[in-house]
Amino acid sequence: MVFLKRTIPANPKKRPATPSENIHSPVAVASVATLGSDRHRNATFSAAAVAAATTGSVGGIVGNAKGKGVRGTEGDDEEQDVSVMVSLLAEAGCTLRVSGDTPPSLPADSHKFRRHIDTRLSSVEDPSIVPRFLSGFSSYIQSPQNFRRVLIPANHDSGSSWGESLVRVLLLVAPIQSQMLNLLLEKLPEHFNADAACVGRSLKDDIARLIVNQLRWLDFLVDSGSFVEKLMEVLSISPPGLKKELIGSLPEIIGDKCHSTVVSALEKMLLEDSDVIVPVLDSFTALNLDEQLQEQLKFVGVMDPYSVRNNKFKGKFSAQSTEVSILDALRSSLRFKNILCEAVLKVLKSIDQPRNHKVIDLWFLMLIYKNGGSLQKDTQKILKKKIVDGCFCEALFDQCIAGNQELVKDYFPSFVSLSEYLLTCKEKQARKFGIHLYTLLFVEFKDTYSRQEVLGALVTHIGSGIAHEVCSALETLILLTMRYTEDLIPISSHISGILDYLECFQEDNLHKVYEVFSRLALAARSRAETIRSSIANEVLMIIRKQVSNADMMYRKMGVIGALKVVSTLGDVNAPLSFFSSQKSNSDDALELLQMSLDSCKLVPLTLILFYDELVALLEGSVLKPEIIEWIGKHASEFEPMFLSDLEGGQLPLSVPCDGIEGELWINLDGDASPIVLKILPLLSSSLQQQSDSLQILPSQFLLLSVVERLSNQGSLGGIDALLGCPLHLPSPRYLSGVHWKKLTEKQKHIVCFSLFYAVNWIRELLNAFSSQVVDKIENVTPNTKEETVKKLLKRLRNLVVMESILDAFLKACPLSLPEVCCYSRDQFGPIFRGKKSSERVLSEDILAKKKKKQKTDPSASGNSCPYGKLRQPTIIDALKKAVQASQEGLNEGSPRFLSREKTPQRAEHCTIDVDEIEVVDISAEPKILEAQRSKFRPLNVDSLSLLSFSERCLLC
């Protein structure tokens, strides 16, 4: 991690010299009081003087180290080797002190000193000088007092202190470096027993630590491989305190070529001793590892079976592993240290690239979060920001949790708590991660307690009443029921209480609730056990009661639930299982459909809902053939109910309906049209059922169009006559002031209702047939597409005009319009519904395009042509031209109405006079309609994409 990196010199071959250190400090070597010396005196310093001043003889030195007595002849040889060593050092300017704890005195120019020693030891004239020098040095340091002298910082012959010891200087002499390193490592175990006794001592009194200090930041290593192997051997047998010291110093000791050996040794130590986790982790972060070594050292790795220990944590049994110990050590180091935690969070916040984040980063956030305190909220905010900014990906959470149950177990409550926080966030990306985290926890922890905790948290979200939180929690449950239904059934009682509060859900969330329990019911039906089947029985019982309930609210809930269950039972991939009644899933689905239809026929509004839900069912599921056949049979009832035949494009017989004469409106196919939509005859029928059927006209047509599209590879060619067919409506002459006043109240209502149903018919036509020009359908030819576009644009103009007419007459005859849409939930994409009316938005859109073109193309400006021939017409221009047309125009475009612009003052204070009813401003906002806009069929956004077609099409 970035915040664990230590600073390493750029060129490891030229390591910096160890700075002056304080011998009175437990962590640094001190400068000692320097003793004055004379260079000539140094040169004549003899081995005999050294021997006399120490133990009386060199033999005594060796004897004290080798045993209790004197070696005799061997002692004489060692004395000679010591004499050679001392003489060689004296020649170079080094004085070995003869009394007390005084360290050697070295010349001021250390480089000259090393060069002299190097030259003498490299001499070919005397090949025995190197072994004799090393033998003498080995004999000299057999005395602990002498050994300590050469390890502590030496004195400068000018009287000032010098940071390096004699051993440190000799380690930088190439001919003897390897042997000196081996000698030091072999001496190290002699001081292991004092490891515990040396706790709290200063560095000058701790021989083992003094040896380690000589090995740091050497400028070069002659034989790094052998040295590292020897170092790892000594490290493996070192006592705990010294082992941690050595491990922490490894990046400063070893070269760049031996990291693989070091990593292997440290990995082995991790498996054997969890006490060295922290220093090992610190060393790993400072080593330069290649990709292969990094892949071995992933923070979350394979659990080690040999390092597993039993441990109780908060009363629970927990399997300790290497990773668990690492987290425990890190958490302990962060606890109650807010300054350190704040530094960690600051570094994490500064990382802004996803590739720079590792799993350990997520764990650091979890450790700080679990420790509690004032930094919990900061941790939550950082986590959310990382997720929203895309710095944390789902794979990072997967690597942290998946397959690491023992590692995560002690942090499970913290993970659940963070999941709860993420699901309450307004940011969609944060909630998405909350859903993913809940799912991961449910999958990873298979014990009943943990899964009950997850479900309990989700139920709490659902009961919050906050829309986005409820929606996300239900999406999580849907995901769990889709993938882990069998695991949910035994603990379904923890969520079944949601069924008692169905009336509290909005319609979109109601669909999600029923989807959850429909999937659970389907899985339960495939098992014969009573426990498993109880949830299926409960769901079906609730739905049957709701469908038959007299209250409209509960009946709607029952229809939604029934068709959601049908979507599950009737899915083509659903198992063909049988229950105790020996009925197949398809049979039960058909029974539910028929029961719902029979109940909905009594009330038009519930039948509208039923058809709309069937459309959603067809669009969102792949159903079994028998289900589709049943739906298609009922969709085909549209033709005999709403259509009549024409003879030569004309009504065969003109019969007044309730005293109102009817005519054909907006016939786009002319004499070629074989059918007519009979709105006026149905509306004026004495049979209430036929009159009410106009309420379900748009929804039943929508169902018919979806069935046709799904059965004909996306094409609506089988019902394309409906797009251009005329409408049987009251004669336009009733829309003039004179004739309008002669109508009875009932007749006026019939006129208004006729216009209302015509408007909704056109809206659903636009929704259905816009798919033929927006979607890429292979069996729709370019000519057919172009013809469809022209008709759709004409229908758009029809819609604008007819809504304006309806708005004008509602001012003269206020009434409450019937509902043809149960709710504004969009089943096929975003809907077009807002404060502004459809025609208003259409007009503004075209006018905005016109202004943009005038700015960029002078030829499009109205000033370039005083007659306006080259000016791009807007849809309002086309509509004005249409309403000024003759009776022929009535049959092709719109009824005869004059349209004139009104001043703002007139528009604000205008009062409707029946004598001026024929004057309709189609550019004005239909305010009366807007008050009842929720009762209209919504326009899908796809239908408005027609405005993006070419100018040539707009002029049609």
Side-chain angles (χ1 to χ4, degrees), residues 36 351 534 623 677 738 849:
I351 304 175
S534 61
L623 301 173
L677 186 69
V738 176
K849 291 182 179 179

Side-chain angles (χ1 to χ4, degrees), residues 686-939:
S686 59
L687 297 177
Q688 185 65 35
Q689 185 177 0
Q690 290 189 3
S691 178
D692 292 342
S693 65
L694 285 171
Q695 275 187 263
I696 66 170
L697 166 63
S699 59
Q700 193 165 359
F701 166 70
L702 178 61
L703 177 62
L704 174 67
S705 66
V706 172
V707 171
E708 174 67 20
R709 184 153 43 88
L710 293 178
S711 60
N712 198 19
Q713 299 179 345
S715 174
L716 294 179
I719 59 172
D720 59 355
L722 294 174
L723 178 58
C725 79
L727 282 64
H728 190 178
L729 298 173
S731 174
R733 66 189 180 86
Y734 294 112
L735 304 182
S736 66
V738 176
H739 292 86
W740 173 262
K741 290 193 297 182
K742 296 179 181 179
L743 297 178
T744 64
E745 194 70 19
K746 180 181 179 181
Q747 290 173 332
K748 289 179 180 179
H749 288 181
I750 290 176
V751 172
C752 291
F753 286 142
S754 297
L755 293 172
F756 171 73
Y757 290 126
V759 163
N760 285 282
W761 166 255
I762 296 174
R763 283 174 166 261
E764 214 56 75
L765 280 178
L766 292 171
N767 288 338
F769 283 93
S770 61
S771 65
Q772 303 298 285
V773 295
V774 175
D775 300 335
K776 294 182 180 179
I777 304 173
E778 295 180 357
N779 55 353
V780 176
T781 64
N783 291 336
T784 302
K785 181 177 180 179
E786 184 177 356
E787 185 65 26
T788 302
V789 169
K790 291 180 180 179
K791 289 184 178 181
L792 286 172
L793 289 172
K794 289 179 180 179
R795 289 303 186 203
L796 267 177
R797 293 200 296 271
N798 298 158
L799 178 62
V800 173
V801 172
M802 296 192 74
E803 286 200 1
S804 299
I805 297 172
L806 177 59
D807 183 71
F809 279 89
L810 286 178
K811 293 177 183 178
C813 180
L815 55 84
S816 177
L817 298 174
E819 294 184 69
V820 294
C821 183
C822 287
Y823 49 87
S824 59
R825 183 178 65 88
D826 179 28
Q827 301 167 348
F828 316 103
I831 62 173
F832 181 77
R833 185 188 296 280
K835 293 183 179 180
K836 295 184 178 180
S837 63
S838 58
E839 61 273 19
R840 188 73 169 181
V841 175
L842 292 173
S843 303
E844 292 178 358
D845 186 82
I846 297 298
L847 289 172
K849 291 182 179 179
K850 170 193 169 184
K851 292 178 181 179
K852 183 177 179 181
K853 183 171 181 62
Q854 288 175 345
K855 291 180 180 179
T856 57
D857 185 4
S859 65
S861 174
N863 295 331
S864 64
C865 179
Y867 300 102
K869 293 181 179 180
L870 300 181
R871 181 177 62 86
Q872 170 145 358
T874 68
I875 197 169
I876 298 300
D877 296 324
L879 292 175
K880 287 180 179 179
K881 183 178 180 181
V883 297
Q884 293 171 358
S886 60
Q887 181 64 41
E888 181 181 354
L890 170 65
N891 294 332
E892 295 184 358
S894 58
R896 292 177 303 199
F897 275 93
L898 296 178
S899 176
R900 67 187 184 193
E901 298 292 337
K902 298 179 181 179
T903 63
Q905 184 177 4
R906 180 184 174 95
E908 291 179 4
H909 304 288
C910 176
T911 58
I912 294 298
D913 187 342
V914 293
D915 292 330
E916 298 180 354
I917 198 71
E918 70 273 9
V919 180
V920 177
D921 182 11
I922 61 174
S923 65
E925 182 178 353
K927 297 181 179 179
I928 302 299
L929 287 188
E930 288 304 315
Q932 304 189 62
R933 183 64 73 182
S934 61
K935 299 178 180 179
F936 286 66
R937 299 294 292 187
L939 274 177

Side-chain angles (χ1 to χ4, degrees), residues 597-630:
L597 178 61
D598 293 340
S599 175
C600 291
K601 282 181 178 180
L602 303 176
V603 182
L605 201 55
T606 55
L607 190 56
I608 292 171
L609 175 65
F610 180 76
Y611 285 139
D612 286 345
E613 288 297 320
L614 276 182
V615 169
L617 178 62
L618 289 171
E619 292 280 356
S621 307
V622 181
L623 301 173
K624 296 176 181 177
E626 51 267 36
I627 307 295
I628 296 179
E629 182 182 357
W630 187 94

Side-chain angles (χ1 to χ4, degrees), residues 529-557:
E529 298 94 313
T530 305
I531 297 178
R532 289 179 174 269
S533 62
S534 61
I535 188 171
N537 293 335
E538 184 178 1
V539 171
L540 293 175
M541 180 182 64
I542 290 175
I543 290 174
R544 288 190 176 98
K545 285 184 177 180
Q546 289 175 339
V547 168
S548 59
N549 197 301
D551 191 314
M552 184 65 180
M553 179 185 71
Y554 289 103
R555 187 172 293 182
K556 282 185 177 181
M557 293 165 53

